[in-house]
Amino acid sequence: MTDKEIERQLFAYRENAAKAKATGRNKALEWLAGGAIRVSCPTHRNGTENAVINAVSDADELARWCRVFEKTLDRFRFTPKEIFIRARYLDRKEISTVCLFVGISERTFSLWRREIIEIARKWAQELNLID
């Protein structure tokens, strides 16, 4: 997975958190409300069961990407890099704005960005999101 793809997941934190919360719970509740609970064989599922399993699986992946963001943020807690992460990925501020806000140069911005993405990559590997 490239740095850009990891950074895209960092930018998508809020959306991923909302989708993970809503999707998994709603699909599972729809399925449960729609009929009796039964145990099924993985090779003989019906379409509804497959949809629920896929939705829960997708929600789990989004939740794990959220965990990557949170663990990365925790790693830099109470440092200027925490402000950097919040400004860049949560508030989606431009590079020049982040540099002024945190009080760093664009060169430092690039170095910190690489370091943050590397930490996020390690967490993603630990949570089996990437190889």
Side-chain angles (χ1 to χ4, degrees), residues 3-125:
D3 287 357
K4 285 276 187 196
E5 292 168 324
I6 291 172
E7 192 169 39
R8 191 174 306 122
Q9 292 297 331
L10 295 176
F11 275 116
Y13 171 74
R14 284 191 175 143
E15 294 83 7
N16 286 349
K19 284 179 191 174
K21 187 175 180 182
T23 304
R25 182 178 56 224
N26 290 345
K27 283 293 185 186
L29 290 176
E30 277 177 28
W31 180 66
L32 291 174
I37 299 173
R38 66 184 177 92
V39 177
S40 67
C41 173
T43 57
H44 296 93
R45 291 189 191 119
N46 66 32
T48 304
E49 288 171 336
N50 284 336
V52 170
I53 289 167
N54 290 340
V56 171
S57 177
D58 292 346
D60 179 58
E61 183 175 337
L62 293 174
R64 286 187 288 150
W65 275 113
C66 291
R67 192 75 183 130
V68 166
F69 181 89
E70 292 159 0
K71 289 286 202 175
T72 302
L73 188 62
D74 285 346
R75 165 67 178 79
F76 297 108
R77 186 76 62 197
F78 306 117
T79 68
K81 290 177 187 167
E82 177 187 13
I83 299 166
F84 174 99
I85 293 169
R86 290 182 184 281
R88 183 68 176 149
Y89 300 115
L90 290 179
D91 300 338
R92 297 180 182 226
K93 295 186 186 290
E94 295 293 324
I95 294 171
S96 58
T97 308
V98 173
C99 291
L100 288 172
F101 189 67
V102 181
I104 58 174
S105 68
E106 287 193 23
R107 173 77 176 134
T108 303
F109 175 95
S110 297
L111 293 171
W112 285 11
R113 179 185 160 274
R114 275 192 225 116
E115 182 182 356
I116 289 163
I117 290 172
E118 259 325 293
I119 296 296
R121 181 187 313 280
K122 288 177 184 174
W123 281 114
Q125 287 170 338

